[in-house]
Amino acid sequence: MHIGLVGLGKMGFNMRERLRAANIEVTGFDSNPDVSDVTSLAELVSSLQAPRLIWVMVPSGDITNSVITELSEHLDAGDLIIDGGNSRFTEDQKHGALLAEKNIGFMDVGVSGGVWGLKNGYGLMAGGSTENVAWAMPILDVLRPEGDRADSFVHVGDIGAGHYAKMVHNGIEYGLMQAYAEGYELLAKKDIIEDLPGVFRAWQKGTVVRSWLLDLMVKALDEDPGLESIDDYVEDSGEGRWTVEEAIANAVPAPAITAALFARFSSREDNSPAMKMVSALRHQFGGHATKPSGS
Amino acid sequence: MHIGLVGLGKMGFNMRERLRAANIEVTGFDSNPDVSDVTSLAELVSSLQAPRLIWVMVPSGDITNSVITELSEHLDAGDLIIDGGNSRFTEDQKHGALLAEKNIGFMDVGVSGGVWGLKNGYGLMAGGSTENVAWAMPILDVLRPEGDRADSFVHVGDIGAGHYAKMVHNGIEYGLMQAYAEGYELLAKKDIIEDLPGVFRAWQKGTVVRSWLLDLMVKALDEDPGLESIDDYVEDSGEGRWTVEEAIANAVPAPAITAALFARFSSREDNSPAMKMVSALRHQFGGHATKPSGS
Amino acid sequence: MHIGLVGLGKMGFNMRERLRAANIEVTGFDSNPDVSDVTSLAELVSSLQAPRLIWVMVPSGDITNSVITELSEHLDAGDLIIDGGNSRFTEDQKHGALLAEKNIGFMDVGVSGGVWGLKNGYGLMAGGSTENVAWAMPILDVLRPEGDRADSFVHVGDIGAGHYAKMVHNGIEYGLMQAYAEGYELLAKKDIIEDLPGVFRAWQKGTVVRSWLLDLMVKALDEDPGLESIDDYVEDSGEGRWTVEEAIANAVPAPAITAALFARFSSREDNSPAMKMVSALRHQFGGHATKPSGS
Amino acid sequence: MHIGLVGLGKMGFNMRERLRAANIEVTGFDSNPDVSDVTSLAELVSSLQAPRLIWVMVPSGDITNSVITELSEHLDAGDLIIDGGNSRFTEDQKHGALLAEKNIGFMDVGVSGGVWGLKNGYGLMAGGSTENVAWAMPILDVLRPEGDRADSFVHVGDIGAGHYAKMVHNGIEYGLMQAYAEGYELLAKKDIIEDLPGVFRAWQKGTVVRSWLLDLMVKALDEDPGLESIDDYVEDSGEGRWTVEEAIANAVPAPAITAALFARFSSREDNSPAMKMVSALRHQFGGHATKPSGS
């Protein structure tokens, strides 16, 4: 089997490795010539025999849009584009409709596993037609971990459903990380805890909270027991936000996931306007001292 | 009528003024000799004729405990102590029991109104016996604003009930301030808002969100339109914490009030251990860059 | 002055009354013939002399869209439409652009005050050009409460800014109501509170939490002291949701307002899938009994 | 080695099995004669040779208190009591001090793993002296899973530290379960998701959110794909509450864990007083219809 792969960053690069190691022929394109096998999307397309399967693994939003649009100009009816990035499910539905006009197929595959996927395999959530899922299955079977297919792959539904499941996966991930992190701080601030990294390490086997994220926390604390080298500034990518937006759109109470998102927002604020106002109010009614700005 | 008043800080000092302006005779004691009328609690007690009424207006916790304990040694059966401070209701119940052994009466009165109470009068919430409430009524009627008694005074229940109502009042206050402050930040961060102080000012009459706290926000923004002089560091006193503890003890969901409390905790953290851990985890699984400490 | 008014529901009907009482001539149109002055939008437009000012006061979304679109077909260059409903600010920007093509002016005015506005006047937040605001000022001055204009009216910015401020106002309103409601439940569940309605009544004068919403709570408790007649099912309109969406879009932590929104979502769930899963999980790991469905 | 074990419920019963399978001699006592090896605590103590080691595995609070108090009357200096239940760490400190007066040793061991511990082993967190930990180590090594000791056992600190770590573990567990449950509801309410149980199953290998709790969700959904048989009523034990109380006491923002606790409170409310008040308020200011009670 021979496929095209657009995007050779942290995720795509590793996926090419994993696919090639399983004797899937992969022609990769990236704007970085150091890692790219071809010099353009046009060359990528012409290197493949129809019907072509091209996996797109680039940042969601404008870049994914432009890659899919440009590909659609080079591909033929009967070809298939798989968006393996983190696109919003509504984007998938637009892309699917655009490509359907040219009889080009489309699938969305949510991919989880991070930089460890190269070695461990990736968890995969697919949206699209049964026919296209079947076409892509040899690729999917290589990308996912060994063992029962159902433990690492699911055909969630039609176009968009794969990325919807991945979006929810990431929302859950936000909540899980926040819960562990709150526990970490509770232990870190209590004087009777003499072996904080040891607590996390001892949770790895046997406890109810054991998980892969816990294993990674143990690893992080092993590398830097007090997390001294790390700032408390946390970015968020789109999917946490979209999860909360979907919670709102569907009237689902999602307080834990939302708390995780807001905690990241707070972590990036040097001087919160809201808390300045609370301080100002306390001064106004109670004569409580405010702290001068910048102190 | 002649009463004793212990504690002449921001609140007690103003209350003495308001009482004297209404021809209530007040002998005040404070550890600060510049404001004190007498030099000791013993002297305060001996300056009053039995049955004595002494209003205690000192910080809650150890100081209130020691004042009430010391007073109990000087007072006689039939006297009455009113704790007008911010004691936890469980403390009231202890103090009431302690004093009852000596047949000294006890009442708790939650007092709201801050530094504006001197001029406007205070909202009052009383716990204790009907008899003691009746005894204190001339004082309470002076301290509260003019107009219908029921609009600014309530006999909530037995000992502790007054401070319980005041505790909940303060918990609500946390939630109200947080809600306004979040709205302030939403407006402050939106480029299409050209007159931010004007928005708050225009909410004062006619809107659903009009309130005294809103009036104070208008005042704060009038004094410092961008709150430039104020840091986003916000203290909390005991009552917000106790409110959440009571929510937990009584299985009452209190997410908005709790959000307000946690926002204050966050405002005081220079480097949140929890968010360092979230950042560390994102690096571990996704290879996402962390921000170096102190950057 | 003679204006057109589209929409004579709870809000529009009262506004017509208030305007007429101040000798503003108002021709109103509503799909309900019992309250309408004319039989069609076309008739409404032809009843006014150019340049016309038409105030639209209909439900946001599709109805506002169709009213504005239909009006645009009847109006002339130089006329002015004011959307006084609860449209999302992004809709205003669309409507403004649509009408600008025909040189018809557009303004958005956020209106707060509910059913009490007839008597008390409404708080008003306007978006649009200085010229159009000046044109509408005689109307605005009648709709708002008497007294200083700046206490009840603000020109927030360009088109959309008025409704943005109103959206934030409503988000704050959600948070305020939730904070009071949590406090109400804390008092309702505590056995030592003997006069719960009395507590709210006594907060009306003097306390830090006094507000118009508090006055309405006192009124509600006066009508039904235990709120026996009311279910705990709470709808939400669009503006609470939009406020949280804007918080997300602008990275503003808004935990109290969001808590209020989620509490409403929860209030409407008969059988929460999330909590069923938590119950199922507790059973799985701890052997804890689940409660059978429907019990 | 021969130890005493008090409490043969879901946890203690399994632990006796696991210990005996490893050739630890166990004499168990329970108030239920069907499972008890002896008829009284006195008989239990006299069946052991000094210095005795007795593991207490009974419900926290009054029952643990009375068992430890009664045991202290029968034991001798040099004996050791281990509290393996879910006592609050402050109780441990009281028990340790009480027993120290009689030169009886005390250790607290947080035990995680639920009903699966019999087969998988338990994660263990110990508080107490190094000497006592060493004494108990043969027991601890049998109770925990095979493999590196540090992956399933930690000596956290002095008396109380073991249960503190277990309390935080349970707080984290609340947060994790809530995050997954919110994700479950998001998927359950979205029409494009055609294979909801399949999504959870496919997350088991390879994804960032894989965990033991996830495996249990897969099992729960396998047994009852729509969770039809389960009500959304969720109990909470003490440890979630204590975790939030410690968050408050130590000024640690813990919004996700607290959200999980409040969601359980809400799940148990048939008719929330808070939401009745919000509904009443909406009616007061906006004329919005309330839903009649019981509808």
Side-chain angles (χ1 to χ4, degrees):
Chain A
M1 196 165 187
H2 181 191
I3 70 161
L5 176 56
V6 181
L8 299 165
K10 274 180 299 203
M11 293 295 286
F13 187 89
N14 283 349
M15 291 165 81
R16 183 174 63 177
E17 291 295 293
R18 189 169 170 98
L19 289 164
R20 284 180 175 167
N23 296 317
I24 305 278
E25 193 175 350
V26 182
T27 301
F29 170 72
D30 195 274
S31 56
N32 173 5
D34 294 344
V35 294
S36 192
D37 300 318
V38 289
T39 59
S40 68
L41 287 177
E43 189 186 339
L44 177 75
V45 169
S46 60
S47 77
L48 299 168
Q49 282 189 305
R52 302 173 190 86
L53 189 163
I54 297 187
W55 187 291
V56 177
M57 205 68 197
V58 298
S60 64
D62 291 346
I63 299 179
T64 295
N65 281 341
S66 70
V67 165
I68 290 178
T69 304
E70 190 178 341
L71 279 176
S72 74
E73 291 157 8
H74 298 294
L75 291 175
D76 298 313
D79 291 343
L80 172 62
I81 293 177
I82 297 177
D83 181 358
N86 277 332
S87 297
R88 196 169 189 162
F89 75 102
T90 45
E91 292 294 296
D92 296 323
Q93 293 165 338
K94 283 185 212 161
H95 294 145
L98 172 83
L99 295 168
E101 289 171 15
K102 302 186 176 189
N103 287 315
I104 303 169
F106 180 79
M107 267 178 68
D108 52 291
V109 179
V111 176
S112 176
V115 293
W116 296 83
L118 170 59
K119 183 180 152 211
N120 295 343
Y122 303 89
L124 304 172
M125 299 144 252
S129 72
T130 305
E131 193 175 37
N132 285 335
V133 169
W135 182 0
M137 196 54 81
I139 307 298
L140 302 169
D141 275 341
V142 167
L143 290 174
R144 66 176 186 79
E146 288 178 18
D148 273 0
R149 182 183 286 161
D151 290 348
S152 55
F153 169 80
V154 58
H155 181 189
V156 186
D158 211 340
I159 289 173
H163 276 147
Y164 198 91
K166 176 60 171 23
M167 176 198 78
V168 172
H169 164 283
N170 281 32
I172 291 171
E173 181 189 297
Y174 274 57
L176 302 182
M177 289 166 73
Q178 180 68 22
Y180 283 119
E182 292 174 6
Y184 172 75
E185 182 163 335
L186 280 161
L187 293 168
K189 289 207 171 158
K190 190 74 180 179
D191 54 1
I192 65 173
I193 306 301
E194 293 173 20
D195 183 3
L196 173 48
V199 172
F200 281 83
R201 187 159 177 208
W203 285 346
Q204 288 184 282
K205 308 273 181 216
T207 72
V208 173
V209 303
R210 65 189 190 261
S211 71
W212 188 61
L213 281 168
L214 181 75
D215 296 342
L216 293 181
M217 278 187 278
V218 172
K219 195 162 167 296
L221 290 169
D222 200 44
E223 291 167 15
D224 180 357
L227 304 181
E228 306 283 348
S229 66
I230 294 168
D231 199 77
D232 68 344
Y233 180 103
V234 187
E235 295 283 359
D236 72 291
S237 57
E239 287 176 317
R241 299 183 180 207
W242 303 336
T243 304
V244 180
E245 287 170 0
E246 280 298 307
I248 294 169
N250 295 287
V252 173
I257 292 173
T258 306
L261 181 64
F262 286 161
R264 295 190 182 191
F265 292 170
S266 286
S267 81
R268 304 200 301 259
E269 290 202 309
D270 271 339
N271 214 353
S272 152
M275 300 319 288
K276 285 158 76 97
M277 179 52 96
V278 174
S279 182
L281 269 178
R282 292 182 81 239
H283 176 68
Q284 287 291 337
F285 71 73
H288 302 290
T290 56
K291 213 173 154 184
S293 181
S295 60
Chain B
M1 196 167 189
H2 181 190
I3 69 161
L5 176 56
V6 181
L8 299 165
K10 273 181 300 204
M11 293 294 285
F13 187 89
N14 282 349
M15 291 165 83
R16 184 174 61 178
E17 292 294 294
R18 187 168 170 97
L19 289 164
R20 284 180 175 167
N23 296 316
I24 305 278
E25 193 176 349
V26 182
T27 301
F29 171 71
D30 194 275
S31 56
N32 173 5
D34 294 344
V35 294
S36 193
D37 300 318
V38 289
T39 60
S40 69
L41 287 175
E43 190 186 339
L44 177 75
V45 169
S46 60
S47 77
L48 300 167
Q49 282 188 306
R52 303 173 189 88
L53 188 164
I54 297 188
W55 187 290
V56 177
M57 205 69 198
V58 298
S60 64
D62 291 346
I63 298 179
T64 295
N65 281 341
S66 70
V67 165
I68 289 177
T69 304
E70 189 178 341
L71 279 176
S72 75
E73 290 157 9
H74 298 295
L75 293 174
D76 297 313
D79 291 344
L80 172 62
I81 292 177
I82 297 177
D83 181 359
N86 277 331
S87 296
R88 195 168 189 164
F89 74 103
T90 47
E91 292 295 295
D92 296 323
Q93 293 166 339
K94 282 184 213 163
H95 293 146
L98 173 82
L99 296 168
E101 288 173 15
K102 303 188 176 187
N103 288 314
I104 303 170
F106 180 79
M107 266 177 69
D108 52 289
V109 179
V111 176
S112 176
V115 292
W116 296 83
L118 170 58
K119 182 180 153 211
N120 297 344
Y122 303 89
L124 303 172
M125 299 144 253
S129 71
T130 305
E131 193 175 34
N132 285 335
V133 168
W135 182 359
M137 196 54 81
I139 307 298
L140 300 169
D141 275 340
V142 168
L143 289 175
R144 66 176 185 79
E146 288 179 18
D148 271 359
R149 182 183 287 160
D151 290 348
S152 54
F153 169 79
V154 57
H155 181 190
V156 186
D158 210 339
I159 289 172
H163 277 147
Y164 197 91
K166 176 61 172 21
M167 177 198 77
V168 172
H169 164 284
N170 282 32
I172 291 171
E173 182 190 298
Y174 274 58
L176 303 182
M177 288 165 73
Q178 181 68 22
Y180 283 119
E182 292 174 6
Y184 173 74
E185 182 163 335
L186 280 161
L187 292 168
K189 289 206 171 159
K190 191 73 181 179
D191 54 2
I192 65 172
I193 305 302
E194 293 173 20
D195 183 3
L196 173 48
V199 171
F200 281 83
R201 187 161 178 206
W203 285 345
Q204 288 184 283
K205 307 273 181 218
T207 73
V208 173
V209 303
R210 65 191 189 260
S211 71
W212 188 61
L213 280 168
L214 181 76
D215 295 342
L216 293 181
M217 279 187 278
V218 172
K219 195 162 166 297
L221 290 170
D222 199 45
E223 290 167 16
D224 180 357
L227 303 181
E228 306 283 348
S229 66
I230 293 168
D231 199 76
D232 67 345
Y233 180 103
V234 187
E235 294 283 0
D236 72 290
S237 57
E239 289 177 314
R241 299 183 180 206
W242 302 337
T243 303
V244 180
E245 287 171 0
E246 280 299 307
I248 294 170
N250 295 287
V252 172
I257 292 173
T258 306
L261 181 64
F262 286 162
R264 294 189 182 191
F265 291 170
S266 286
S267 81
R268 304 199 301 259
E269 291 202 308
D270 270 339
N271 215 352
S272 153
M275 300 320 287
K276 285 158 75 96
M277 179 52 97
V278 174
S279 182
L281 268 178
R282 292 182 81 239
H283 176 68
Q284 287 291 337
F285 71 74
H288 301 290
T290 55
K291 214 174 155 185
S293 180
S295 61
Chain C
M1 196 167 187
H2 181 191
I3 70 162
L5 176 57
V6 180
L8 300 164
K10 274 181 299 205
M11 293 294 286
F13 187 89
N14 283 349
M15 290 164 82
R16 184 174 61 178
E17 292 294 292
R18 188 167 170 99
L19 289 164
R20 285 178 175 168
N23 295 316
I24 305 279
E25 193 175 349
V26 182
T27 301
F29 170 71
D30 195 274
S31 56
N32 173 5
D34 294 345
V35 294
S36 193
D37 301 316
V38 290
T39 60
S40 69
L41 286 177
E43 189 185 340
L44 176 74
V45 169
S46 59
S47 77
L48 299 168
Q49 282 189 305
R52 304 171 189 88
L53 188 162
I54 297 188
W55 186 290
V56 177
M57 204 69 198
V58 299
S60 63
D62 290 346
I63 299 178
T64 295
N65 282 340
S66 71
V67 165
I68 289 177
T69 304
E70 190 178 342
L71 279 176
S72 75
E73 291 157 8
H74 298 296
L75 291 176
D76 298 313
D79 290 344
L80 173 63
I81 292 177
I82 296 177
D83 181 359
N86 278 330
S87 297
R88 195 168 190 164
F89 75 102
T90 46
E91 292 295 295
D92 296 323
Q93 293 166 337
K94 283 185 212 162
H95 294 145
L98 173 82
L99 295 169
E101 289 172 15
K102 304 188 175 186
N103 288 315
I104 302 169
F106 180 78
M107 266 178 69
D108 52 291
V109 179
V111 176
S112 177
V115 293
W116 296 83
L118 170 59
K119 183 180 151 210
N120 296 344
Y122 303 90
L124 304 172
M125 298 144 253
S129 70
T130 304
E131 192 174 37
N132 286 334
V133 169
W135 181 0
M137 196 55 80
I139 308 297
L140 302 170
D141 275 340
V142 167
L143 290 174
R144 67 177 184 78
E146 288 178 18
D148 273 359
R149 183 183 285 161
D151 290 348
S152 54
F153 168 79
V154 58
H155 181 190
V156 186
D158 210 339
I159 289 172
H163 276 147
Y164 197 90
K166 176 60 170 25
M167 177 198 78
V168 172
H169 165 283
N170 281 31
I172 291 171
E173 180 189 299
Y174 274 58
L176 302 182
M177 288 166 73
Q178 181 67 22
Y180 283 118
E182 293 174 7
Y184 173 74
E185 182 163 335
L186 280 161
L187 292 168
K189 289 206 170 158
K190 191 74 182 180
D191 55 1
I192 65 173
I193 304 302
E194 293 173 20
D195 183 3
L196 173 47
V199 172
F200 280 84
R201 189 163 175 205
W203 285 346
Q204 289 184 282
K205 308 272 182 217
T207 73
V208 174
V209 303
R210 65 190 190 261
S211 70
W212 189 60
L213 281 167
L214 181 76
D215 296 341
L216 293 181
M217 279 187 276
V218 172
K219 194 162 169 295
L221 290 169
D222 199 46
E223 290 168 16
D224 181 356
L227 304 182
E228 306 283 349
S229 66
I230 294 169
D231 199 76
D232 67 345
Y233 180 102
V234 187
E235 295 283 1
D236 73 290
S237 57
E239 288 176 316
R241 299 183 180 208
W242 302 336
T243 304
V244 180
E245 287 171 1
E246 281 298 307
I248 294 170
N250 295 287
V252 173
I257 292 173
T258 306
L261 181 64
F262 286 161
R264 294 190 181 190
F265 291 170
S266 286
S267 81
R268 304 200 301 259
E269 290 201 309
D270 270 339
N271 215 351
S272 152
M275 299 320 288
K276 285 159 74 99
M277 179 52 95
V278 174
S279 183
L281 268 179
R282 292 183 81 239
H283 177 66
Q284 287 291 337
F285 72 74
H288 301 290
T290 56
K291 214 174 154 183
S293 180
S295 61
Chain D
M1 196 166 187
H2 181 191
I3 69 161
L5 176 57
V6 181
L8 300 164
K10 273 179 301 203
M11 292 294 285
F13 187 88
N14 283 349
M15 290 165 82
R16 184 175 61 178
E17 292 294 291
R18 188 168 171 98
L19 289 164
R20 284 180 175 167
N23 295 316
I24 305 279
E25 194 175 349
V26 182
T27 301
F29 171 72
D30 194 275
S31 56
N32 173 5
D34 295 345
V35 294
S36 192
D37 301 318
V38 290
T39 60
S40 69
L41 287 177
E43 189 185 339
L44 176 74
V45 169
S46 60
S47 77
L48 299 168
Q49 282 188 306
R52 303 172 190 88
L53 188 163
I54 296 188
W55 187 290
V56 177
M57 205 69 198
V58 299
S60 64
D62 290 346
I63 299 178
T64 295
N65 281 341
S66 72
V67 166
I68 289 178
T69 304
E70 191 178 340
L71 279 176
S72 76
E73 290 157 9
H74 298 294
L75 291 176
D76 297 313
D79 291 343
L80 172 63
I81 293 177
I82 297 178
D83 180 359
N86 278 330
S87 296
R88 194 169 189 164
F89 74 103
T90 46
E91 291 295 296
D92 296 322
Q93 292 166 338
K94 283 185 211 162
H95 294 145
L98 173 80
L99 295 168
E101 288 172 16
K102 303 186 176 188
N103 287 313
I104 303 169
F106 180 78
M107 267 177 68
D108 51 292
V109 179
V111 177
S112 177
V115 293
W116 297 83
L118 170 58
K119 183 180 152 214
N120 296 344
Y122 303 90
L124 304 173
M125 299 143 254
S129 71
T130 305
E131 193 174 35
N132 285 334
V133 169
W135 182 359
M137 196 54 80
I139 307 298
L140 301 169
D141 275 339
V142 168
L143 289 174
R144 65 177 185 79
E146 288 178 19
D148 273 359
R149 183 183 286 161
D151 291 347
S152 54
F153 168 79
V154 58
H155 181 189
V156 186
D158 211 339
I159 289 172
H163 276 147
Y164 198 91
K166 177 60 173 21
M167 177 198 78
V168 172
H169 164 283
N170 282 32
I172 291 172
E173 181 190 298
Y174 273 58
L176 302 182
M177 289 166 73
Q178 181 68 22
Y180 283 119
E182 292 175 6
Y184 173 75
E185 182 162 334
L186 281 162
L187 292 168
K189 289 206 170 158
K190 191 74 183 181
D191 54 1
I192 65 172
I193 305 300
E194 292 173 21
D195 183 2
L196 172 49
V199 171
F200 280 83
R201 189 162 175 206
W203 285 346
Q204 288 184 283
K205 308 273 181 217
T207 73
V208 173
V209 303
R210 65 190 189 262
S211 70
W212 188 61
L213 280 168
L214 181 75
D215 295 342
L216 293 180
M217 279 187 278
V218 171
K219 195 162 168 297
L221 290 170
D222 199 46
E223 291 167 15
D224 181 357
L227 304 181
E228 307 282 349
S229 66
I230 293 169
D231 199 77
D232 68 344
Y233 180 102
V234 187
E235 294 283 0
D236 73 291
S237 57
E239 288 175 317
R241 298 183 181 208
W242 302 337
T243 304
V244 180
E245 288 171 1
E246 280 298 308
I248 294 170
N250 296 286
V252 172
I257 292 174
T258 306
L261 182 64
F262 286 160
R264 294 190 182 191
F265 291 170
S266 286
S267 81
R268 304 200 301 259
E269 290 201 310
D270 272 338
N271 215 351
S272 153
M275 300 319 288
K276 286 159 75 99
M277 179 52 95
V278 174
S279 182
L281 268 179
R282 292 183 82 239
H283 176 68
Q284 288 292 336
F285 71 73
H288 301 291
T290 56
K291 211 173 154 185
S293 180
S295 60

